[in-house]
Amino acid sequence: MILKSRRARKWAIAVASVLVVVIAGAYTLLQVADSRTFQFFGTLVSRVETGEKLVALTFDDGPDPAGTKAVLDTLKSRQVPATFFLIGRDIAAHPDLAQDIAAAGHELGNHSFSHDRMIGVTPSWVADEIEATDALIRTAGYSGDIVFRPPNGKKLFALPYYLAEHNRTTVTWDVEPDSAGTPDAATIEKTTVEQVRPGSIILLHPMYPAREQTRQAIGPIVDQLKQRGFRFVTVAQLLAARR
Protein backbone atom coordinates (compact mmCIF):
# COMPACT_ATOMS: atom_id res chain seq x y z
CA MET A 1 0.00 0.00 0.00
CA ILE A 2 2.83 2.37 0.91
CA LEU A 3 4.64 1.53 -2.34
CA LYS A 4 1.51 2.27 -4.38
CA SER A 5 1.11 5.57 -2.57
CA ARG A 6 4.70 6.56 -3.35
CA ARG A 7 4.27 5.63 -7.00
CA ALA A 8 1.09 7.69 -7.17
CA ARG A 9 2.86 10.70 -5.67
CA LYS A 10 5.76 10.34 -8.11
CA TRP A 11 3.30 10.08 -11.00
CA ALA A 12 1.43 13.16 -9.83
CA ILE A 13 4.69 15.10 -9.47
CA ALA A 14 5.78 14.04 -12.97
CA VAL A 15 2.45 15.08 -14.51
CA ALA A 16 2.51 18.39 -12.64
CA SER A 17 6.08 19.04 -13.81
CA VAL A 18 5.11 18.41 -17.43
CA LEU A 19 2.12 20.72 -17.10
CA VAL A 20 4.31 23.46 -15.65
CA VAL A 21 6.74 23.13 -18.56
CA VAL A 22 3.92 23.17 -21.12
CA ILE A 23 2.24 26.19 -19.54
CA ALA A 24 5.56 28.03 -19.25
CA GLY A 25 6.34 27.25 -22.88
CA ALA A 26 2.93 28.41 -24.05
CA TYR A 27 3.26 31.62 -22.05
CA THR A 28 6.70 32.28 -23.54
CA LEU A 29 5.39 31.78 -27.07
CA LEU A 30 2.51 34.17 -26.40
CA GLN A 31 4.99 36.75 -25.15
CA VAL A 32 7.08 36.35 -28.30
CA ALA A 33 3.99 36.57 -30.51
CA ASP A 34 3.09 39.89 -28.87
CA SER A 35 6.61 41.30 -28.61
CA ARG A 36 7.25 44.58 -30.40
CA THR A 37 11.03 44.11 -30.22
CA PHE A 38 11.74 40.39 -30.87
CA GLN A 39 10.95 37.69 -33.39
CA PHE A 40 12.55 34.31 -34.07
CA PHE A 41 13.70 35.04 -37.64
CA GLY A 42 14.74 38.04 -39.69
CA THR A 43 14.82 41.75 -38.92
CA LEU A 44 12.31 43.47 -36.69
CA VAL A 45 12.38 47.22 -36.01
CA SER A 46 10.26 49.06 -33.43
CA ARG A 47 12.40 52.21 -33.44
CA VAL A 48 15.93 53.07 -34.54
CA GLU A 49 18.95 54.42 -32.77
CA THR A 50 19.84 57.74 -34.34
CA GLY A 51 21.52 60.93 -33.27
CA GLU A 52 19.02 62.97 -35.27
CA LYS A 53 15.56 64.01 -34.13
CA LEU A 54 13.77 61.89 -36.70
CA VAL A 55 10.34 60.32 -36.29
CA ALA A 56 8.22 58.13 -38.55
CA LEU A 57 4.47 58.66 -38.58
CA THR A 58 2.66 55.46 -39.56
CA PHE A 59 -1.00 54.64 -40.12
CA ASP A 60 -2.55 51.17 -40.01
CA ASP A 61 -5.52 49.80 -41.98
CA GLY A 62 -7.53 51.02 -44.92
CA PRO A 63 -7.57 52.76 -47.27
CA ASP A 64 -11.09 53.79 -46.36
CA PRO A 65 -13.26 56.70 -47.54
CA ALA A 66 -13.85 57.82 -43.95
CA GLY A 67 -10.22 58.66 -43.32
CA THR A 68 -8.00 58.75 -46.38
CA LYS A 69 -8.74 62.21 -47.75
CA ALA A 70 -8.72 63.88 -44.33
CA VAL A 71 -5.37 62.33 -43.44
CA LEU A 72 -3.83 63.23 -46.80
CA ASP A 73 -5.08 66.81 -46.50
CA THR A 74 -3.57 67.15 -43.03
CA LEU A 75 -0.21 65.79 -44.16
CA LYS A 76 -0.20 67.97 -47.28
CA SER A 77 -0.97 71.13 -45.33
CA ARG A 78 2.03 70.45 -43.08
CA GLN A 79 4.27 69.01 -45.81
CA VAL A 80 5.18 65.83 -43.96
CA PRO A 81 5.54 62.27 -45.32
CA ALA A 82 4.04 59.22 -43.68
CA THR A 83 3.93 55.45 -44.06
CA PHE A 84 0.54 53.82 -44.67
CA PHE A 85 0.33 50.12 -43.79
CA LEU A 86 -2.60 49.11 -45.97
CA ILE A 87 -4.82 46.01 -45.93
CA GLY A 88 -5.09 44.17 -49.23
CA ARG A 89 -8.85 43.69 -49.12
CA ASP A 90 -9.30 47.44 -48.50
CA ILE A 91 -7.01 48.32 -51.40
CA ALA A 92 -9.08 45.98 -53.60
CA ALA A 93 -12.26 47.73 -52.43
CA HIS A 94 -10.86 51.26 -52.83
CA PRO A 95 -8.03 51.19 -55.38
CA ASP A 96 -8.45 54.90 -56.12
CA LEU A 97 -7.65 55.78 -52.50
CA ALA A 98 -4.48 53.70 -52.53
CA GLN A 99 -3.51 55.48 -55.74
CA ASP A 100 -4.11 58.84 -54.06
CA ILE A 101 -1.77 57.89 -51.19
CA ALA A 102 0.97 56.80 -53.58
CA ALA A 103 0.49 59.85 -55.81
CA ALA A 104 0.91 62.12 -52.79
CA GLY A 105 4.40 60.68 -52.31
CA HIS A 106 3.80 58.65 -49.18
CA GLU A 107 5.20 55.21 -48.42
CA LEU A 108 2.91 52.19 -48.77
CA GLY A 109 3.50 49.23 -46.46
CA ASN A 110 1.92 45.78 -46.38
CA HIS A 111 -0.49 45.01 -43.51
CA SER A 112 -1.63 41.62 -44.92
CA PHE A 113 -4.61 40.96 -47.15
CA SER A 114 -7.22 39.85 -44.60
CA HIS A 115 -5.91 41.41 -41.36
CA ASP A 116 -6.19 38.02 -39.65
CA ARG A 117 -3.72 37.28 -36.85
CA MET A 118 -0.74 35.56 -38.43
CA ILE A 119 0.10 32.99 -35.77
CA GLY A 120 -0.57 29.27 -36.09
CA VAL A 121 -0.75 29.66 -39.87
CA THR A 122 0.84 27.78 -42.77
CA PRO A 123 3.70 29.14 -44.90
CA SER A 124 1.50 29.03 -48.00
CA TRP A 125 -1.17 31.11 -46.28
CA VAL A 126 1.45 33.67 -45.25
CA ALA A 127 2.76 33.83 -48.81
CA ASP A 128 -0.72 34.39 -50.24
CA GLU A 129 -1.50 37.15 -47.71
CA ILE A 130 1.73 39.03 -48.42
CA GLU A 131 2.07 38.55 -52.16
CA ALA A 132 -1.55 39.43 -52.95
CA THR A 133 -1.20 42.68 -51.03
CA ASP A 134 2.18 43.47 -52.58
CA ALA A 135 0.62 43.12 -56.04
CA LEU A 136 -2.17 45.54 -55.14
CA ILE A 137 0.35 48.03 -53.73
CA ARG A 138 2.27 47.92 -57.00
CA THR A 139 -0.93 48.38 -58.97
CA ALA A 140 -1.57 51.54 -56.91
CA GLY A 141 1.62 53.00 -58.38
CA TYR A 142 4.04 52.57 -55.47
CA SER A 143 7.51 51.49 -56.58
CA GLY A 144 9.63 51.62 -53.38
CA ASP A 145 10.59 48.78 -51.07
CA ILE A 146 7.56 47.37 -49.24
CA VAL A 147 7.96 46.90 -45.49
CA PHE A 148 5.54 44.70 -43.56
CA ARG A 149 3.60 45.15 -40.34
CA PRO A 150 1.81 42.14 -38.81
CA PRO A 151 -1.89 42.60 -38.05
CA ASN A 152 -2.22 43.41 -34.34
CA GLY A 153 1.56 42.99 -34.14
CA LYS A 154 1.14 39.19 -33.92
CA LYS A 155 3.84 36.91 -35.33
CA LEU A 156 5.47 33.65 -34.32
CA PHE A 157 7.14 31.18 -36.72
CA ALA A 158 5.77 31.07 -40.26
CA LEU A 159 5.47 34.81 -40.82
CA PRO A 160 8.94 35.89 -39.61
CA TYR A 161 10.53 32.97 -41.45
CA TYR A 162 8.85 33.93 -44.73
CA LEU A 163 9.85 37.56 -44.34
CA ALA A 164 13.45 36.61 -43.50
CA GLU A 165 13.66 34.33 -46.53
CA HIS A 166 12.54 37.25 -48.74
CA ASN A 167 14.73 39.91 -47.10
CA ARG A 168 11.73 41.78 -45.75
CA THR A 169 11.73 43.92 -42.61
CA THR A 170 9.05 43.58 -39.94
CA VAL A 171 8.09 47.04 -38.69
CA THR A 172 6.35 47.46 -35.34
CA TRP A 173 6.28 50.65 -33.23
CA ASP A 174 7.21 52.18 -29.90
CA VAL A 175 4.44 54.79 -29.60
CA GLU A 176 0.78 53.68 -29.87
CA PRO A 177 -1.61 56.22 -28.31
CA ASP A 178 -4.87 54.87 -29.76
CA SER A 179 -4.36 51.10 -30.00
CA ALA A 180 -6.35 50.31 -26.85
CA GLY A 181 -9.40 52.21 -28.07
CA THR A 182 -10.32 55.68 -29.19
CA PRO A 183 -9.44 58.26 -26.54
CA ASP A 184 -10.14 61.92 -27.23
CA ALA A 185 -7.87 63.83 -29.60
CA ALA A 186 -6.20 65.79 -26.82
CA THR A 187 -5.20 62.57 -25.02
CA ILE A 188 -3.85 61.03 -28.22
CA GLU A 189 -1.81 64.16 -28.88
CA LYS A 190 -0.47 64.41 -25.31
CA THR A 191 0.49 60.72 -25.11
CA THR A 192 2.26 60.81 -28.44
CA VAL A 193 4.25 63.98 -27.80
CA GLU A 194 5.31 62.76 -24.35
CA GLN A 195 6.50 59.35 -25.58
CA VAL A 196 8.25 60.22 -28.84
CA ARG A 197 12.06 60.23 -28.84
CA PRO A 198 14.60 60.30 -31.67
CA GLY A 199 14.03 57.31 -33.94
CA SER A 200 10.47 56.63 -32.78
CA ILE A 201 7.83 54.96 -34.92
CA ILE A 202 4.34 56.28 -34.15
CA LEU A 203 1.33 54.04 -34.80
CA LEU A 204 -2.09 55.62 -35.37
CA HIS A 205 -5.41 54.20 -36.65
CA PRO A 206 -7.20 57.06 -38.46
CA MET A 207 -8.89 55.25 -41.32
CA TYR A 208 -12.33 54.08 -40.26
CA PRO A 209 -15.45 56.11 -39.33
CA ALA A 210 -15.07 55.59 -35.57
CA ARG A 211 -11.57 57.09 -35.58
CA GLU A 212 -12.44 60.76 -35.93
CA GLN A 213 -10.59 61.61 -32.71
CA THR A 214 -7.40 60.12 -34.11
CA ARG A 215 -7.81 62.10 -37.32
CA GLN A 216 -8.22 65.30 -35.32
CA ALA A 217 -5.06 64.56 -33.35
CA ILE A 218 -2.73 64.16 -36.34
CA GLY A 219 -2.28 67.86 -37.10
CA PRO A 220 -1.55 68.90 -33.51
CA ILE A 221 0.87 65.97 -33.09
CA VAL A 222 2.82 67.08 -36.14
CA ASP A 223 2.78 70.71 -35.05
CA GLN A 224 3.95 69.93 -31.52
CA LEU A 225 6.77 67.62 -32.61
CA LYS A 226 7.94 70.07 -35.25
CA GLN A 227 8.12 72.75 -32.58
CA ARG A 228 10.32 70.40 -30.56
CA GLY A 229 12.73 70.05 -33.47
CA PHE A 230 11.62 66.69 -34.88
CA ARG A 231 11.69 65.96 -38.60
CA PHE A 232 9.18 63.55 -40.09
CA VAL A 233 10.44 60.78 -42.41
CA THR A 234 9.06 57.58 -43.88
CA VAL A 235 9.91 54.23 -42.33
CA ALA A 236 12.34 53.51 -45.17
CA GLN A 237 14.12 56.81 -44.54
CA LEU A 238 14.23 56.10 -40.82
CA LEU A 239 15.75 52.66 -41.40
CA ALA A 240 18.39 54.23 -43.64
CA ALA A 241 19.35 56.61 -40.81
CA ARG A 242 20.21 53.82 -38.36
CA ARG A 243 23.65 54.17 -36.84
Side-chain angles (χ1 to χ4, degrees), residues 188-189 192-193 202 204 217-225 232:
I188 295 171
E189 174 194 350
T192 303
V193 173
I202 303 168
L204 293 171
I218 295 171
I221 287 170
V222 172
D223 294 342
Q224 286 286 330
L225 291 176
F232 286 85

Side-chain angles (χ1 to χ4, degrees), residues 55-75:
V55 61
L57 183 60
T58 73
F59 304 118
D60 274 12
D61 308 334
D64 189 87
T68 302
K69 184 179 186 303
V71 173
L72 288 177
D73 286 348
T74 298
L75 298 175

Side-chain angles (χ1 to χ4, degrees), residues 34-39 44 46 155 172-173:
D34 283 335
S35 175
R36 303 293 178 262
T37 58
F38 175 80
Q39 64 184 17
L44 180 149
S46 61
K155 69 275 176 297
T172 55
W173 57 86

Side-chain angles (χ1 to χ4, degrees), residues 30-222:
L30 286 174
Q31 293 295 107
V32 171
D34 283 335
S35 175
R36 303 293 178 262
T37 58
F38 175 80
Q39 64 184 17
F40 285 118
F41 309 103
T43 302
L44 180 149
V45 176
S46 61
R47 64 174 296 271
V48 307
E49 292 294 336
T50 174
E52 301 179 71
K53 296 185 78 171
L54 303 177
V55 61
L57 183 60
T58 73
F59 304 118
D60 274 12
D61 308 334
D64 189 87
T68 302
K69 184 179 186 303
V71 173
L72 288 177
D73 286 348
T74 298
L75 298 175
K76 182 178 180 180
S77 69
R78 288 161 172 82
Q79 297 184 312
V80 296
T83 301
F84 290 75
F85 286 94
L86 302 181
I87 299 172
R89 68 185 181 200
D90 286 348
I91 302 175
H94 307 289
D96 56 319
L97 298 181
Q99 292 166 13
D100 289 345
I101 296 170
H106 299 292
E107 181 176 24
L108 273 62
N110 187 323
H111 199 37
S112 82
F113 186 86
S114 66
H115 203 264
D116 290 339
R117 297 188 179 192
M118 302 181 78
I119 55 176
V121 295
T122 65
S124 62
W125 189 86
V126 169
D128 289 344
E129 286 279 313
I130 293 176
E131 298 304 328
T133 306
D134 275 359
L136 289 165
I137 288 173
R138 294 303 186 205
T139 300
Y142 179 73
S143 60
D145 291 338
I146 304 175
V147 290
F148 184 86
R149 174 172 284 163
N152 302 295
K154 306 284 187 183
K155 69 275 176 297
L156 198 52
F157 297 118
L159 173 60
Y161 184 78
Y162 182 88
L163 294 171
E165 286 293 292
H166 293 81
N167 298 312
R168 301 285 289 271
T169 299
T170 304
V171 177
T172 55
W173 57 86
D174 67 323
V175 179
E176 49 175 331
D178 71 347
S179 291
T182 310
D184 60 86
T187 300
I188 295 171
E189 174 194 350
K190 181 175 183 293
T191 302
T192 303
V193 173
E194 288 178 348
Q195 293 182 0
V196 163
R197 47 191 176 141
S200 278
I201 299 174
I202 303 168
L203 165 60
L204 293 171
H205 299 83
M207 278 294 168
Y208 300 130
R211 295 293 187 158
E212 176 61 28
Q213 292 300 307
T214 294
R215 291 191 287 275
Q216 290 183 15
I218 295 171
I221 287 170
V222 172

